[in-house]
Amino acid sequence: MRALDNPAVIALESGDHKDRMAEAIAEMGSPMPGTRSVAIRQGVASIPLFGPIFPRANAMTEMCGATSLASLAADLRKADASAEVRHILIVSDSPGGQITDVRAFAALLGGLSKPVTVFVSGMCCSAAYHICSQAGEIIVDPFALIGSIGVAMCGSYQVEPDGEGEMEVTIVSSNAPDKRPDLSTEEGQSKVREMLDGIEEVFLADVARGRKVPVSTVKQSFGRGGTMSARQAKEAGLIDRIEAGGLAAVLNKLSGPVRSATPRRAAAALSLEVEQLRAASFNTGD
């Protein structure tokens, strides 16, 4: 997750996501009326989380097929409110993106009335993983890349004059020495790192809550900022299942007939009912 992004880097990272989004939506089902990117198939509403993540739509999201959280949130609410939808599937192929509104969107995803599953077709990293960690289940393709849990801020400083003999110098007011920390010094880098650590603290807590593990587990076992393969992520607990059949297999399972409670759950419910009846019989005595 980035506190600062370079548009040139974003354009390179996004690649052919726009074309792939169109292909994926076609595979997910028929376009859902009144939405920008939702596809519906036999009660499953699929929503793509593709490309770099921005808080709002802009020229970059249109050009590169990136994700606008504002647009995605509107689609998510419509899918959750629709009587035709019984399950929501987030299809992720995103390297992450800006931090603005990511936490609010993750909270929205975790608070929906319909069950939510994530399928990672390519990447689910950084801000994308922050969001997807709040789903009920995370399923990934065997070639998926997951993780990159942490916060980074890109910056640069000039140590020599440019080709024209000029050098940019920033001067800040007397009472704001930390407004532009000197990144060429350890002290300046420490100031920025302290800020990033504060953001990361919230990020880790949200992931821990979504995955139902202690924050210490996220810190120690969830990659320490690195990106994991599907197998590594499964062993560490970042995901729930690897699906060799890809998106088609996940959609087939989710769009199948609604199954009744599993035998274990049914037995547990029966046991609870028996205990309640016993308690009631004891309480009705003279």
Side-chain angles (χ1 to χ4, degrees):
M1 188 153 52
R2 297 192 176 99
L4 179 67
D5 268 316
N6 182 337
V9 174
I10 291 170
L12 290 172
E13 286 182 341
S14 65
D16 59 353
H17 277 297
K18 192 171 184 179
D19 293 337
R20 292 175 65 190
M21 178 183 286
E23 293 174 3
I25 292 174
E27 184 179 2
M28 293 173 195
S30 303
M32 184 174 176
T35 67
R36 176 179 174 273
S37 60
V38 182
I40 187 165
R41 169 180 163 183
Q42 294 180 279
V44 179
S46 298
I47 305 176
L49 178 65
F50 285 0
I53 296 170
F54 293 87
R56 289 165 290 279
N58 54 33
M60 195 63 69
T61 61
E62 294 301 319
M63 181 175 67
C64 299
T67 288
S68 157
L69 291 181
S71 299
L72 210 63
D75 280 354
L76 201 57
R77 291 189 179 97
K78 288 177 182 176
D80 193 46
S82 173
E84 296 181 56
V85 175
R86 57 180 173 80
H87 204 115
I88 294 173
L89 177 66
I90 304 295
V91 182
S92 172
D93 186 7
S94 170
Q98 295 182 351
I99 63 174
T100 305
D101 292 342
V102 165
R103 189 163 191 257
F105 187 87
L108 170 65
L109 184 72
L112 297 177
S113 63
K114 307 285 173 63
V116 180
T117 295
V118 167
F119 175 68
V120 183
S121 62
M123 299 178 71
C124 185
C125 296
S126 201
Y129 187 78
H130 189 167
I131 290 168
C132 294
S133 67
Q134 306 307 301
E137 185 179 26
I138 302 178
I139 306 169
V140 308
D141 183 89
F143 285 153
L145 297 174
I146 305 98
S148 189
I149 300 171
V151 187
M153 179 174 177
C154 303
S156 61
Y157 58 89
Q158 190 171 352
V159 295
E160 296 180 357
D162 61 21
E164 298 179 356
E166 297 181 353
M167 180 184 294
E168 182 177 315
V169 178
T170 301
I171 302 174
V172 298
S173 56
S174 300
N175 294 303
D178 293 337
K179 190 175 181 69
R180 293 289 188 275
D182 184 355
L183 299 182
S184 67
T185 67
E186 180 58 37
E187 181 183 3
Q189 293 175 22
S190 178
K191 291 288 184 183
V192 174
R193 189 174 295 107
E194 183 179 353
M195 175 193 69
L196 298 180
D197 286 347
I199 300 172
E200 182 189 64
E201 183 179 348
V202 178
F203 187 178
L204 299 182
D206 286 351
V207 169
R209 182 170 55 254
R211 296 302 296 166
K212 297 178 176 57
V213 297
V215 172
S216 59
T217 297
V218 179
K219 289 181 178 179
Q220 297 166 13
S221 304
F222 276 32
R224 295 175 59 84
T227 302
M228 294 183 171
S229 67
R231 178 184 59 78
Q232 290 173 318
K234 176 66 172 67
E235 292 173 352
L238 278 76
I239 66 169
D240 299 295
R241 184 161 59 86
I242 300 173
E243 177 53 73
L247 177 59
V250 173
L251 281 169
N252 285 336
K253 290 178 182 178
L254 294 181
S255 61
V258 179
R259 291 176 293 181
S260 59
T262 62
R264 181 179 297 179
R265 289 183 179 176
L270 179 59
S271 176
L272 177 60
E273 185 177 348
V274 170
E275 290 299 323
Q276 290 173 336
L277 288 172
R278 286 177 178 171
S281 65
F282 283 123
N283 291 332
T284 56
D286 293 329

